[in-house]
Amino acid sequence: MTEYPLRSMPSTKRLAWRRSRASASTGFALIAVLLLLVLVSAISVGLVLAVQAERRINSSDLEGNAAYYGAEAAMEKMTNDLADLYHTQQAPTSAQIVALATNPPALSDMQYAEYTFTVPTANNGTPISTTQNVSQGPFQGLIAQIIPVTLSVTAQRPGGQQVRMLRSVQVANIPVFQFAVFSDSDLGFFCGPTMDFTGRIQTNGNLFLSAVNPLTFHSQISAYGDVVRARLPNGYPSTTFCTGPVYIPNTTGGCDSGFKPNLQCLPISVVQGSVTAGPGSAANSLWTTISNTTFNRFITNAATGAKKLTLSFVQPGVLPIEIIKQPAPGESPTSTVGLSRLFNQAQIRILLANSTAELHPGGSAVDADDVPLANAGIYSNGVQVKGGGHTYFGEGLVSVDGDWVLPPGVSAGSAWPLIGGYLRVEIRLANGSYLGVTQEWLNLGFARDLRPPSSAHTNTVHPDAILLLQQQADFNNDGLISNGLNGETTAITGSGVVNNWMPLNFYDAREGEVRDVSLGTRSCAAGGVMNAVELDVYNLKKWLNGTIGSSGASVETTTQNGYVLYFSDRRGEITGPVAGRKLGEYGYEDNINPSDSTGVPNGVLNAAEDANLNGVLDTYGAAHIGDGFTGSASSNPTARMADCSTLGRKNRVTGPRHGLRLEDGAPGRLPTLASGLGGFTVASENPVYVQGNYNASDPTFSGTHADAAVIADAVTLLSSSYSDRSTFLFPTLAANRPATTSYFRLAVASGKNQSFPEPAWDVSAYYGTDGGMHNFMRFLEGWTGQTVYYKGSLVSLYYAQYGNGIFKCCNAVYTAPNRAFSFDTDFLNASQLPPGTPSFVDVENIGYSQDLRAY
C-alpha cells in the first residue's frame, strides 16, 4: 500500500480519508457515550434500589416503633386496669384479674396478638399471696400481702411488625396500722408538746409542720399534697410563735441519737416547705432539691414521688367512713363495700335501736334475742341474773325523785324506762351464721355500782356482767349510796328497787360546748349529755374462754387474728336525708358560726360544718335532743340546763347521743385466741371512750398485751381516775376533773373535724384547727402535770359524723397532758396486727423487659 503524506495527497483522496477518520471518531464517541449512559444508568438504578431499600428499612423502623409504642400503651393500660380493679374490689378472684384481658386498648392500625394477665391461683380460685416486704416504690420496706402478676403484650402492625413486652407487678395489700400516723385528709403537727414520732407517716392531703417544742421524726414522711411550713391548718402564721425546731432524718436512724441537729438529722426551716405560704400558694423552686437531696427523700410530696393510698371501696359518693357503718338495705355482704365493712367481719355484734326491725340491717328475721330494755315482755318481772334474783331495768318516777322529768307522751304519775330501746347481741358460728345471745348476756348481769369495773375494782352488783346499761342510784351526786337518804339503797333485786337505778350518763364538753369557755357553774348544753353502754372487756374474755356463760367458746376464730366486736347504738336517731334510712350519725352540724364569738347557731352551712360531706347543713338530728331533760320536744342542742348534775345526769337521753365505753382492760385482760396470740378490735359507728389503763400499765409497755385496736367514729382517752360524776359537777371546768397518768396500748383509727380559717375574734391561734395529731385522740379531763403514755398507730380515715364537736382547748373541755406517744413496732409483723386491720392497695412495677425474638 502506498502511503501519501496528507499534504501531497490528492484532494479527492484527502477528503475521503478525512471523512473515514471522522466516521471512526464518531463511532468511538458513541461507544463512550453509550458506556457512560450504561454507567450512569447503573448508578441510578443502584441509587433507586438503595433509596427503596432505605425506605423499606425506614418504613420497617417506623412500623417497629409504632408497634413498640402500641405495646407500651397497652402495658400501661393493663397496669392501670389492674389498679382500678383492686380499687373497686376488696379481693378480686384470679378469674376477675384474667378477665381484664378482654379489654385491650382500641388503637387504629394496631392488633394485639397477645394481651394476658398471669396470676398464681389457689384451688379455690383466689390469687396466691405471700406476706413479705414491698420491694420497690415509695412504700418499700413495709410488709404487705403480695400477689405477683405478670403482664404480657404482643402488639402487631398491619405490615406484620411485632413487639412483645413483659412486665412483672406486685399487688400489695398494705395494712394501715404499719404507719405510725396516717391521714386521709390534711395532717397537722403544730405548736404542741415535745414529741418524737417513730414510724412511717403518710397523708393523702397537705402536711403542716411547725412546733413550739422540738418535734422529731425518725422515718419517711410522705404527703400527697403540699408540705406547709409557714401556716397552721387554720391559716394562722406559724412564724408568730410556732418557731420551734422540726427535725427530719436524711438517712435511716439519722435522728435516733440524742444529739441534734447533726448531718443525718436536720431541721427543716420555715422556708423549706413545698410552697411559700399556705396550701396552693406559690411553689418553692428549691423544693425538689430539698426533698431529693437535702433530706434524701425522707420527706416527699407528689412532685417528688409520694403516692396516694385509699381503701379499696372508696369512690365518688362512697366515703372511707363506710368501713364502720351498718350496711345499706339490700347490700350484699360480698360486694366491694360489703367485704370492707367491719360489721360483716365481726364475730360479735352489739346492736341497739329504736325498734326490733332495726336490729337486723342484714335482713335476718326478728327472734327472741331482740330484747326491749324495759320491764316488758319476757322481762316484765325483771331479768333473772346469775347468782341472784330478778334485777329490773331502771324506771323513772317523779314522785321518787323530783329531778326526773316526765318525758313527752308519758302520763302524769306513771313510770317510764330510763334506758329504753332494743338490744341484740349476736355471735358468728363456724358455719358463718349468726346466733343471738342477748338473753345469755343479760342473765350474766347488766348493772353496776357507782364505780366502773377495773382490775382494782370488781363490780359488786353483777360481777359477771359483760355489758353494763345502768348503775345504782346516787340521787344527790355525793359519790355514795346512803341507805334511806333520798331513797337510795344498795338492794339490787325485786320490783321494790326499780326506781333505784340511773342511766350511765356523762357530759362530753367537746360535744356540748360551742366555745371553750369556763362558766364556773353546773350549767351544760343538752347536746353534750351522752349515754354510755359499758363493755367489761375482761368479762368478755372470760366468756369467750368458757369461764362464764355457755356460748362464748362457739364464736368462730378462723377468719381473724383474734376477735372483732362491732357496736352500733342508733337509739334516738331519726331518718336522715336519704329517704327511709338512718345513717348512724348525729345529724346536727350547725356548730361553728365563725362570725359570732358566742357560737349561736346561724342556720348557715359554714366552712367545716359539713361532717358527712353531703353538701347541706344537716340539723334533723336535733329533733329529740333534750326531750328527756325538758319534758317537751326540743330542737336546739345548745339549749342549756341550769344544773347538769340533776337533770342531765339522771334523765333518759332521747336523741342520738350514745357511745361505747371500754373498761377493765388492764394487761392480760383483753380477749385473745386460746393460744394467747392474736387480739381484740372494737369497731363502732358511735364514739368510743377508752378508760385506762388499757392493755398497758407502765411507761415501758412491758408485760402481757394483746394486739388491740379501736376503729370508731371518734376515740376519747379517759384516765384511770375518770368519773362521770365530775363531768356533771364541773361541766365546763376541766381543771376540776383531774386525771391521773395512764397507759394505753392500741391502734386507733377514727375521725376528726375539718379545719377552717381562724375567726378574727379568736386569740388562741388554735381555734379552727383539728387539734393536730397530738389531739387526734380526744381528752375530757384536767391532765395538767399528768402523762398519757400511748403506744400504737394513729390513723385518721374520715371526718367524725356522730361525735362531730370541733376541737377546743384548754378550759372547758380538757387541759393538756404530757404526751409520750410511740409507734408499736409489733405492727410491722403481720402476725401481730390487730384483727380487722384495714388495708390499702398499691400496684408497683418491679420488672420490665422486651422480648426481642418477637420481631
Side-chain angles (χ1 to χ4, degrees):
M1 178 180 297
T2 302
E3 297 184 2
Y4 296 97
L6 183 61
R7 289 189 304 270
S8 60
M9 185 179 294
S11 60
T12 55
K13 288 186 177 181
R14 186 165 61 243
L15 180 61
W17 183 83
R18 286 177 175 171
R19 286 177 175 173
S20 66
R21 291 294 300 266
S23 177
S25 297
T26 301
F28 283 121
L30 179 60
I31 293 171
V33 170
L34 290 173
L35 289 174
L36 182 60
L37 287 173
V38 170
L39 179 61
V40 171
S41 296
I43 292 172
S44 298
V45 170
L47 287 172
V48 170
L49 292 174
V51 169
Q52 289 177 342
E54 188 66 26
R55 288 180 65 184
R56 286 195 299 268
I57 292 171
N58 287 342
S59 177
S60 179
D61 284 347
L62 289 173
E63 289 292 291
N65 287 339
Y68 178 88
Y69 289 118
E72 191 175 60
M75 191 64 74
E76 294 305 316
K77 185 177 188 301
M78 295 177 84
T79 305
N80 290 334
D81 285 352
L82 183 63
D84 289 343
L85 175 65
Y86 271 92
H87 288 151
T88 56
Q89 296 282 340
Q90 176 77 1
T93 64
S94 294
Q96 289 173 308
I97 296 174
V98 172
L100 295 173
T102 61
N103 187 30
L107 300 177
S108 61
D109 295 329
M110 191 73 65
Q111 294 181 337
Y112 292 98
E114 180 185 25
Y115 190 86
T116 60
F117 294 76
T118 304
V119 55
T121 304
N123 291 334
N124 63 356
T126 61
I128 295 174
S129 64
T130 57
T131 300
Q132 62 189 67
N133 288 334
V134 179
S135 60
Q136 292 188 28
F139 307 112
Q140 182 177 354
L142 293 176
I143 62 168
Q145 277 191 317
I146 300 293
I147 299 171
V149 182
T150 301
L151 315 181
S152 306
V153 168
T154 300
Q156 181 174 317
R157 295 286 291 168
Q161 290 82 359
Q162 289 186 345
V163 170
R164 185 170 191 257
M165 289 185 178
L166 302 172
R167 175 177 285 180
S168 297
V169 300
Q170 287 181 341
V171 179
N173 287 287
I174 303 172
V176 65
F177 292 141
Q178 283 185 96
F179 291 95
V181 176
F182 176 88
S183 180
D184 189 62
S185 56
D186 289 352
L187 175 62
F189 296 90
F190 54 86
C191 306
T194 300
M195 297 193 75
D196 272 33
F197 277 88
T198 58
R200 305 266 298 242
I201 294 173
Q202 162 87 19
T203 174
N204 288 340
N206 301 305
L207 175 67
F208 296 83
L209 293 176
S210 59
V212 171
N213 300 296
L215 172 63
T216 304
F217 298 96
H218 294 263
S219 298
Q220 288 93 336
I221 309 169
S222 302
Y224 190 70
D226 291 325
V227 176
V228 181
R229 284 288 283 122
R231 296 287 187 274
L232 301 189
N234 62 356
Y236 192 87
S238 58
T239 52
T240 301
F241 69 95
C242 292
T243 56
V246 178
Y247 296 108
I248 297 174
N250 57 22
T251 187
T252 301
C255 287
D256 292 353
S257 68
F259 176 75
K260 49 186 178 285
N262 58 61
L263 293 178
Q264 290 79 42
C265 182
L266 302 174
I268 181 169
S269 75
V270 74
V271 297
Q272 286 185 307
S274 67
V275 289
T276 56
S281 62
N284 183 350
S285 61
L286 299 176
W287 170 248
T288 299
T289 300
I290 293 168
S291 175
N292 291 336
T293 304
T294 306
F295 291 103
N296 192 25
R297 298 183 58 78
F298 269 72
I299 181 167
T300 60
N301 73 342
T304 54
K307 295 181 67 175
K308 190 174 185 178
L309 283 175
T310 56
L311 298 174
S312 60
F313 63 86
V314 175
Q315 54 191 287
V318 183
L319 302 177
I321 199 170
E322 292 300 322
I323 196 173
I324 60 169
K325 296 287 189 177
Q326 290 187 23
E331 178 185 284
S332 170
T334 59
S335 65
T336 302
V337 180
L339 287 169
S340 301
R341 292 192 192 276
L342 289 160
F343 174 92
N344 291 322
Q345 297 178 31
Q347 298 114 312
I348 306 167
R349 296 172 180 163
I350 302 172
L351 307 173
L352 297 101
N354 294 335
S355 67
T356 56
E358 294 176 80
L359 299 177
H360 298 269
S364 57
V366 174
D367 61 32
D369 275 283
D370 300 326
V371 175
L373 298 178
N375 303 308
I378 61 172
Y379 293 134
S380 58
N381 294 317
V383 180
Q384 176 65 52
V385 176
K386 171 188 173 183
H390 286 71
T391 298
Y392 282 74
F393 293 109
E395 294 180 350
L397 188 62
V398 173
S399 61
V400 172
D401 188 277
D403 294 328
W404 271 326
V405 176
L406 197 69
V410 177
S411 302
S414 300
W416 66 93
L418 290 174
I419 304 173
Y422 293 82
L423 168 69
R424 179 175 180 82
V425 181
E426 58 186 15
I427 59 173
R428 188 164 66 205
L429 304 177
N431 64 5
S433 65
Y434 281 86
L435 173 70
V437 295
T438 317
Q439 295 184 64
E440 181 179 341
W441 275 32
L442 289 175
N443 291 344
L444 290 171
F446 55 93
R448 65 166 171 86
D449 53 38
L450 299 185
R451 296 170 58 190
S454 68
S455 58
H457 174 71
T458 299
N459 176 6
T460 59
V461 175
H462 292 156
D464 292 331
I466 300 171
L467 207 62
L468 298 168
L469 305 170
Q470 62 187 32
Q471 67 176 357
Q472 290 177 309
D474 170 22
F475 291 117
N476 62 355
N477 202 14
D478 64 356
L480 302 170
I481 299 176
S482 304
N483 285 326
L485 179 63
N486 295 323
E488 297 173 2
T489 176
T490 56
I492 60 176
T493 62
S495 59
V497 294
V498 69
N499 303 126
N500 281 277
W501 301 102
M502 292 172 54
L504 298 174
N505 292 350
F506 64 100
Y507 189 67
D508 186 328
R510 174 164 176 160
E511 292 300 302
E513 301 301 313
V514 292
R515 297 290 184 261
D516 188 44
V517 178
S518 296
L519 301 177
T521 68
R522 294 184 181 179
S523 171
C524 71
V529 179
M530 307 288 289
N531 174 251
V533 171
E534 296 177 350
L535 182 71
D536 187 326
V537 297
Y538 184 47
N539 278 348
L540 175 61
K541 177 179 182 176
K542 291 190 289 184
W543 181 76
L544 290 167
N545 291 342
T547 305
I548 59 175
S550 58
S551 301
S554 300
V555 178
E556 69 89 7
T557 59
T558 59
T559 58
Q560 300 288 347
N561 180 36
Y563 300 95
V564 175
L565 180 146
Y566 180 84
F567 178 85
S568 171
D569 191 341
R570 291 193 170 184
R571 289 177 296 172
E573 288 189 33
I574 61 175
T575 300
V578 179
R581 285 190 58 194
K582 296 182 180 179
L583 303 174
E585 63 183 25
Y586 182 15
Y588 186 81
E589 298 173 338
D590 197 1
N591 58 359
I592 295 180
N593 188 6
S595 64
D596 183 359
S597 62
T598 65
V600 176
N602 62 356
V604 176
L605 181 61
N606 300 121
E609 286 185 330
D610 189 11
N612 59 13
L613 304 180
N614 66 354
V616 300
L617 180 70
D618 291 318
T619 57
Y620 69 93
H624 299 291
I625 295 294
D627 288 7
F629 311 135
T630 64
S632 60
S634 171
S635 59
N636 182 10
T638 65
R640 305 195 70 84
M641 292 173 273
D643 191 341
C644 210
S645 183
T646 55
L647 295 176
R649 186 172 65 95
K650 300 178 184 180
N651 284 286
R652 178 173 165 179
V653 171
T654 52
R657 301 277 73 193
H658 298 273
L660 176 67
R661 189 152 60 213
L662 306 181
E663 298 168 341
D664 202 5
R669 299 171 84 89
L670 268 66
T672 59
L673 298 173
S675 62
L677 302 176
F680 178 56
T681 292
V682 172
S684 171
E685 64 180 13
N686 301 81
V688 171
Y689 300 79
V690 184
Q691 188 160 343
N693 298 324
Y694 192 83
N695 205 31
S697 61
D698 68 85
T700 64
F701 295 95
S702 60
T704 302
H705 69 278
D707 306 320
V710 172
I711 306 173
D713 178 81
V715 174
T716 301
L717 301 184
L718 305 174
S719 77
S720 300
S721 62
Y722 166 84
S723 76
D724 293 338
R725 174 172 172 265
S726 293
T727 68
F728 289 115
L729 292 174
F730 310 103
T732 63
L733 192 58
N736 284 22
R737 308 191 298 268
T740 55
T741 292
S742 299
Y743 310 89
F744 306 86
R745 186 170 188 170
L746 71 160
V748 171
S750 69
K752 58 184 178 183
N753 62 271
Q754 303 169 58
S755 296
F756 56 92
E758 183 196 25
W761 49 262
D762 179 60
V763 295
S764 72
Y766 299 113
Y767 190 74
T769 73
D770 60 13
M773 285 313 296
H774 53 290
N775 288 305
F776 174 61
M777 295 180 294
R778 304 177 180 188
F779 306 105
L780 286 179
E781 300 168 89
W783 285 90
T784 303
Q786 303 298 311
T787 300
V788 172
Y789 288 93
Y790 170 80
K791 189 170 189 176
S793 169
L794 300 176
V795 174
S796 173
L797 291 175
Y798 35 77
Y799 298 124
Q801 295 182 0
Y802 198 106
N804 65 348
I806 63 173
F807 169 73
K808 293 175 282 288
C809 178
C810 297
N811 299 299
V813 181
Y814 76 101
T815 61
N818 302 317
R819 298 173 179 88
F821 288 5
S822 61
F823 173 57
D824 195 336
T825 56
D826 280 2
F827 297 157
L828 296 178
N829 184 332
S831 66
Q832 293 181 285
L833 284 165
T837 297
S839 291
F840 303 121
V841 175
D842 182 51
V843 177
E844 283 292 336
N845 175 19
I846 63 169
Y848 176 84
S849 64
Q850 180 179 348
D851 185 356
L852 298 177
R853 295 171 299 175
Y855 275 108

